[in-house]
Amino acid sequence: MRLSRYFLPVLRDVPKDAEIASHRLMLRAGMIKQQASGLYSWLPLGYKVLMKVKAIIEEEQNRSGAIELMMPTIQSADLWRESGRYDAYGKEMLRIEDRHEREFLYGPTNEEMVTDIFRTYVKSYKDLPLNLYHVQWKFRDEVRPRFGTMRSREFLMKDAYSFDLNKEDAVKAYERMFVAYLRTYARMGLTAIPMRADTGPIGGDLSHEWIVLADTGESAVFCDRRLLDKSIPGPDVDFRGDLKPIFNDWTSLYAATEEMVDMAEYEAAVPEEFRISARGIEVGHIFYFGTKYSEPMKATVTGPDGKEITVHMGSYGVGPTRVVPAIIEAFHDEAGIVWPVSVAPFEAVLINLKAGDAECDAACDKLYAELNAAGLDMLYDDRDQGAGAKFTTADLIGIPYQIILGPRGLKAGEAEIKHRKTGERETLAIADAVARLKGLIEPQRKTDI
């Protein structure tokens, strides 16, 4: 993508109403625009990151055996009355009527709708286990939307729903999602710790929140430092095999949110040198809730003995529009964002130091074509601007690598590569630049972890 033809409305000034780093940087980097309180447009740069996050989530859901569908944002109030949640949910639910005065709502979550889909089509235990998921917009009328897309009213959510014959099988489904989440966040470059959590209005008696440690986190968390160094299950993990050893290993060390922490238990379980008491950002939440929805909504299957059995369910959420700012909170410096390669809007930016110079333009155009042909996701800053402005923009938007070419380097047959994360610069022959950049980037895509 040539920057001269791209839509990138970067801001020089720091927005006054942005309280945390991710909100400031998403506005300054031209990733989002606020349309109303808690409502944001995702501009091209931000949307590209959002779609890379979404793609990783979908790949790991598919790997685990979950099946993707798409449900509407508008739901019938009658479904929610069946489950008993329509009146209980509170003012966070946006209730609406159509022209025929039928009652609907803008879905804050999809347990009722997916249960209705299941009970309509699935009749036999032979069709289990089943896990259905989608990535869809949700709306919750937050009392105080804040921190940009970290806590917005409209947000994108991956929500998956498992259906099993009994609790034993449902716990296995829970463990599959647990392992899928470990892989998902690691591929994004995040260290996300699963912590015992309150089930809240979703219900159930088994729940974990996935927490990224950050000073700007919304709640206090307590955990064992050794969780930060645990190895992630590899791409060959057998999701139809026994995942309990992985689950038990990760949950053997103490980790709990402030709603669930028992300080006496925490201090007894964790040696003082390994205790972490910090703030955390929730980037995902998983639940097992048994028959909370299937029983009142009569979601049953015929069992092996011919009798009707009420299925056991779980739900599993990740908010991509929340994950993006969480990544920025974890990876930024004074100059701007520092994206991990796997979720960066572009993997590298080619900076033409003298746009308009015929020789420099020709060399940069040739190099740009070669970089694209090598399969690298490139941005080309071909604007007629000074070098300082180009460097400032590249640092602000956080592209992992900058490849720099100007008249002086061209005469020497050399280009420069800047590593955004470390600031390291290396000079090399222009002819070697494509191979070097490809060698730096490909291992960091985390497609094979």
Side-chain angles (χ1 to χ4, degrees):
M1 174 59 66
R2 291 176 179 266
L3 190 47
S4 62
R5 301 175 189 171
Y6 197 53
F7 181 58
L8 184 64
V10 298
L11 304 177
R12 289 185 179 181
D13 299 325
V14 177
K16 293 179 181 179
D17 59 342
E19 300 176 63
I20 60 174
S22 59
H23 191 191
R24 291 194 296 270
L25 289 170
M26 290 177 78
L27 290 168
R28 288 192 58 219
M31 293 178 63
I32 57 173
K33 181 190 184 300
Q34 183 171 332
Q35 303 297 156
S37 177
L39 302 176
Y40 290 86
S41 290
W42 284 77
L43 306 182
L45 193 80
Y47 185 70
K48 201 161 186 287
V49 176
L50 187 64
M51 290 302 99
K52 287 194 173 185
V53 166
K54 176 176 177 281
I56 290 173
I57 293 169
E58 289 174 328
E59 287 168 13
E60 293 305 323
Q61 289 295 286
N62 296 341
R63 189 194 300 271
S64 76
I67 302 167
E68 190 166 14
L69 47 67
M70 178 65 80
M71 292 176 272
T73 58
I74 305 300
Q75 303 183 30
S76 168
D78 291 340
L79 285 177
W80 285 65
R81 287 196 173 97
E82 280 191 64
S83 72
R85 284 208 299 175
Y86 184 71
D87 295 319
Y89 201 89
K91 291 185 177 181
E92 287 75 25
M93 181 190 290
L94 181 62
R95 295 162 170 84
I96 53 181
E97 287 187 357
D98 68 5
R99 66 176 64 196
H100 303 291
E101 298 184 348
R102 292 175 297 205
E103 293 179 298
F104 291 88
L105 57 103
Y106 193 133
T109 183
N110 278 73
E111 282 80 8
E112 284 80 1
M113 184 169 284
V114 77
T115 303
D116 180 54
I117 291 171
F118 176 88
R119 70 183 178 182
T120 302
Y121 299 107
V122 181
K123 302 300 182 183
S124 171
Y125 76 97
K126 295 179 181 179
D127 296 320
L128 302 180
L130 181 65
N131 189 318
L132 301 173
Y133 82 96
H134 73 161
V135 185
Q136 179 61 286
W137 293 96
K138 303 280 192 290
F139 185 91
R140 295 176 190 168
D141 200 359
E142 294 275 357
V143 173
R144 189 187 174 198
R146 58 191 308 217
F147 301 155
T149 67
M150 187 83 77
R151 180 176 281 186
S152 52
R153 293 194 293 168
E154 186 182 50
F155 54 94
L156 193 63
M157 175 68 74
K158 184 287 300 183
D159 39 329
Y161 303 91
S162 61
F163 301 86
D164 289 275
L165 196 61
N166 50 50
K167 181 173 183 178
E168 180 182 357
D169 290 344
V171 170
K172 291 178 182 177
Y174 187 94
E175 291 165 354
R176 282 194 289 274
M177 285 291 100
F178 188 97
V179 172
Y181 276 41
L182 289 175
R183 290 188 43 76
T184 297
Y185 296 118
R187 286 189 57 193
M188 295 175 190
L190 288 171
T191 301
I193 304 170
M195 300 194 178
R196 285 185 287 174
D198 184 23
T199 57
I202 299 294
D205 60 1
L206 178 60
S207 175
H208 285 84
E209 281 183 15
W210 298 79
I211 300 291
V212 174
L213 301 182
D215 292 338
T216 50
E218 298 165 296
S219 60
V221 294
F222 304 85
C223 67
D224 191 314
R225 187 179 303 277
R226 289 169 289 188
L227 283 164
L228 302 177
D229 301 318
K230 279 198 170 294
S231 60
I232 302 297
D236 58 346
V237 62
D238 181 5
F239 278 98
R240 289 300 166 190
D242 183 9
L243 298 177
K244 191 167 288 295
I246 298 174
F247 179 79
N248 288 345
D249 179 45
W250 275 85
T251 56
S252 64
L253 296 176
Y254 195 95
T257 60
E258 62 183 330
E259 295 87 359
M260 297 295 287
V261 69
D262 180 320
M263 291 306 296
E265 182 185 357
Y266 169 60
E267 292 174 359
V270 184
E272 188 171 356
E273 66 268 26
F274 294 124
R275 292 176 195 161
I276 293 180
S277 175
R279 308 293 296 179
I281 299 169
E282 179 195 340
V283 290
H285 206 158
I286 63 177
F287 307 83
Y288 159 71
F289 43 68
T291 60
K292 177 179 173 67
Y293 301 95
S294 55
E295 186 170 354
M297 296 186 71
K298 298 180 174 56
T300 64
V301 295
T302 303
D305 58 0
K307 295 180 180 179
E308 291 295 305
I309 298 174
T310 302
V311 295
H312 286 242
M313 293 175 58
S315 71
Y316 316 91
V318 177
T321 48
R322 188 178 178 86
V323 168
V324 173
I327 294 171
I328 296 173
E329 290 294 329
F331 301 107
H332 70 274
D333 58 21
E334 292 182 358
I337 304 166
V338 186
W339 290 113
V341 166
S342 61
V343 293
F346 298 94
E347 294 172 328
V349 54
L350 171 61
I351 297 176
N352 183 341
L353 291 180
K354 197 170 183 180
D357 177 88
E359 290 187 9
C360 205
D361 286 350
C364 284
D365 287 352
K366 180 175 182 293
L367 181 56
Y368 177 54
E370 292 171 350
L371 290 162
N372 281 324
L376 301 180
D377 191 0
M378 294 296 304
L379 179 65
Y380 174 21
D381 193 343
D382 61 339
R383 298 172 300 164
D384 185 14
Q385 289 193 1
K390 293 185 177 187
F391 293 143
T392 297
T393 297
D395 284 347
L396 172 63
I397 65 177
I399 309 304
Y401 294 97
Q402 301 169 20
I403 181 163
I404 304 157
L405 186 58
R408 183 181 301 176
L410 186 57
K411 287 181 181 178
E414 294 176 338
E416 187 177 51
I417 292 177
K418 176 185 174 182
H419 301 235
R420 175 66 181 89
K421 184 177 180 179
T422 64
E424 174 192 352
R425 292 174 179 262
E426 52 181 292
T427 302
L428 72 169
I430 296 172
D432 298 333
V434 174
R436 173 59 176 157
L437 207 53
K438 190 173 182 179
L440 288 168
I441 287 170
E442 284 188 338
Q444 296 183 66
R445 287 175 174 164
K446 295 184 180 291
T447 53
D448 299 321
I449 66 164

